[in-house]
Amino acid sequence: MSMYQVKPVSPGEIKIDLPTCMYKLPNVHAQGTSCGEHAFQNGEVDPTVKVLEARQDDILKRLYELKATVDGLTKTVTTPDADLDATTLSQGVSATVFKGTADLDCLLGKDLGALRDIVINANPSNPPLSLLVLHSLLCQRYRVLSAVHVHSSVTSVPPTLLSCLGPRHTDSYTRHRFELGFTLIWKDVSKLQMKFNTQNMCPIEGEANVARFLYRLLGAEPQDPVLATQMDSWIDTAVFQLAEGSGKEQAAVLRSLNGALGRSPWLLGQEFSLADIMSACCVLQVNNGTSAPPNVQRWLKSCQNLGHFNCAYALLH
């Protein structure tokens, strides 16, 4: 028996319709629905989606350009031994020497957005004339962003060396617009050094070896193995016997050059090559070519007429 008895305040049987889903939406796939404005048939795309896709593409493009700029700045910061910037860029030359085209992705690796930099350390007391000529040829073939720096180990550098790569390009701040970076650092080094990947690559030493590397970027190497061997032979002769040899060795090389150039306009026959670049630059470094035999002087004049040797001649006067 209960202590208190309370009368019911509501009927005993109450029916409540409980929901079977959280939200109710119209069926946009059913034909005859009243929400036809939300259904796009026959491949039509919602204009709002189109606007979002265009905005996304624009954002991705801007992110890619920003990434390329940041990667370029990173390479500039991590470029070894660069203290003072004297940036310059060659405008190219008029004469066309080589017609082939090298595959930069094949030779230098796939371009992932960052500028591919070639960094060279050279002693200002022995300017690498052949590399300046090759730089001029590269500027004719590719969009090259060039820069000259001075290392703290060098007390002073002549103005001609600071401007040896030509005037600064107007778009030098947009590194992603260029295909190659060519950075020359005047430094107190015993032997010329070059790095392509400044963080992972062992340096390539010697002007001749660096010249061979740059020449491959022009896609102008002889396909004939005999001509390729002759080219390497002339390069080694010019470097080890003409530029670094004794007076007797230099005289012997000049006689060999005079004989070879008496039979053909260039050292490998009818085609201008790296053998002519290296040999001519070594002759100019030894005696400016003033006391060279007649055929050698005619050949030096032909090299000068190409226009690519102007930067080398500018350093000799």
Side-chain angles (χ1 to χ4, degrees), residues 47 210 239 262 281 301-303:
V210 175
V239 172
C281 289
K301 187 64 177 177
S302 298
C303 292

Side-chain angles (χ1 to χ4, degrees), residues 182-200:
F182 193 101
T183 302
L184 178 60
I185 302 175
W186 296 117
K187 181 182 178 183
D188 186 13
V189 291
S190 59
K191 186 176 294 186
L192 184 139
Q193 301 172 344
M194 187 213 78
K195 280 189 176 183
F196 167 65
N197 186 327
T198 58
Q199 295 180 347
N200 302 324

Side-chain angles (χ1 to χ4, degrees), residues 146-225:
S146 303
V148 177
H149 300 276
V150 180
H151 186 248
S152 57
S153 61
V154 178
T155 56
S156 63
V157 175
T160 53
L161 295 183
L162 296 178
S163 59
C164 62
L165 300 184
R168 178 192 293 268
H169 199 283
T170 55
D171 295 332
S172 59
Y173 61 93
T174 53
R175 291 171 60 88
H176 64 278
R177 296 185 180 181
F178 296 89
E179 297 175 281
L180 280 177
F182 193 101
T183 302
L184 178 60
I185 302 175
W186 296 117
K187 181 182 178 183
D188 186 13
V189 291
S190 59
K191 186 176 294 186
L192 184 139
Q193 301 172 344
M194 187 213 78
K195 280 189 176 183
F196 167 65
N197 186 327
T198 58
Q199 295 180 347
N200 302 324
M201 177 181 175
C202 294
I204 297 177
E205 294 189 343
E207 183 175 347
N209 295 326
V210 175
R212 288 185 175 99
F213 176 88
L214 298 178
Y215 190 68
R216 290 190 181 97
L217 302 183
L218 297 170
E221 284 188 299
Q223 300 301 318
D224 185 352

Side-chain angles (χ1 to χ4, degrees), residues 71 81 114 186 236 243 289:
D71 289 341
D81 310 326
W186 296 117
D236 291 338

Side-chain angles (χ1 to χ4, degrees), residues 7 16 23 33 66 92 135 138 148 181 184 239 241 243 253 266 298 308:
K7 295 181 180 181
I16 300 177
Y23 303 104
T33 178
L66 181 61
H135 168 266
L138 288 171
V148 177
L184 178 60
V239 172
Q241 298 183 32
V253 174
W266 306 109
R298 174 189 54 78
H308 304 286

Side-chain angles (χ1 to χ4, degrees), residues 222-239:
Q223 300 301 318
D224 185 352
V226 175
L227 290 178
T229 302
Q230 292 177 351
M231 184 181 74
D232 284 332
S233 177
W234 278 116
I235 293 172
D236 291 338
T237 299
V239 172

